[in-house]
Amino acid sequence: MRRVAALAVTAVAAGGFALSTAAPAAAATHVNGKLESTEFGLYYNSGQVGCVLDLGAAENQFSQHRFKDPSNVNCNGEGQNTNDNTASYWNRASYTWYVWTDSFQEGTRGSLPAGHSGNASSTFKNEISSASWYIF
């Protein structure tokens, strides 16, 4: 009887862990310049135009990234540092993303719900330095 109870507790604990991490853990973690359906993208230009920084996981320092052009069409902003250099966004993930004006989730915070796209407000245009799908 103890063995059955122990197995049941283990199964429930493992199942609960899998359920609690399903959405964010399923997101892509590569940054390749192509905004995919599970990612959050920050664009060099307004109107979701130009090169994109595509995120599937939290990023503490945008200064470590450059805008990429996956199709070799020389998009606007190619090779530019992404820190404090984004004008619009598109959240293609199924959960809210948060952005901050400073590295390591410091400064002013904004939230972008699933599916939302638009131009950055005056507070955030060319000021975003970190992003995450969870709040620290």
Side-chain angles (χ1 to χ4, degrees):
M1 185 68 161
R2 276 191 217 175
R3 185 184 295 172
V4 172
L7 287 173
V9 169
T10 303
V12 170
F17 176 74
L19 290 174
S20 68
T21 60
T29 57
H30 55 84
V31 178
N32 62 7
K34 180 181 177 190
L35 185 60
E36 298 173 56
S37 63
T38 59
E39 295 179 325
F40 173 64
L42 291 156
Y43 290 85
Y44 182 74
N45 293 115
S46 297
Q48 297 78 45
V49 176
C51 289
V52 65
L53 170 63
D54 56 315
L55 299 173
E59 180 54 56
N60 291 324
Q61 290 182 293
F62 284 3
S63 61
Q64 299 178 8
H65 293 285
R66 300 205 174 274
F67 287 105
K68 295 180 181 178
D69 177 15
S71 59
N72 296 318
V73 295
N74 297 323
C75 59
N76 289 337
E78 181 178 6
Q80 297 292 316
N81 190 289
T82 58
N83 188 57
D84 293 337
N85 208 10
T86 59
S88 60
Y89 51 86
W90 185 10
N91 182 2
R92 294 194 66 196
S94 60
Y95 40 87
T96 299
W97 270 83
Y98 301 91
V99 294
W100 287 266
T101 55
D102 294 328
S103 295
F104 295 96
Q105 291 73 37
E106 296 289 332
T108 304
R109 183 186 81 202
S111 62
L112 305 163
H116 189 74
S117 65
N119 294 327
S121 68
S122 59
T123 301
F124 292 98
K125 185 174 183 175
N126 297 323
E127 297 293 331
I128 299 172
S129 295
S130 59
S132 178
W133 46 264
Y134 56 90
I135 299 175
F136 290 89

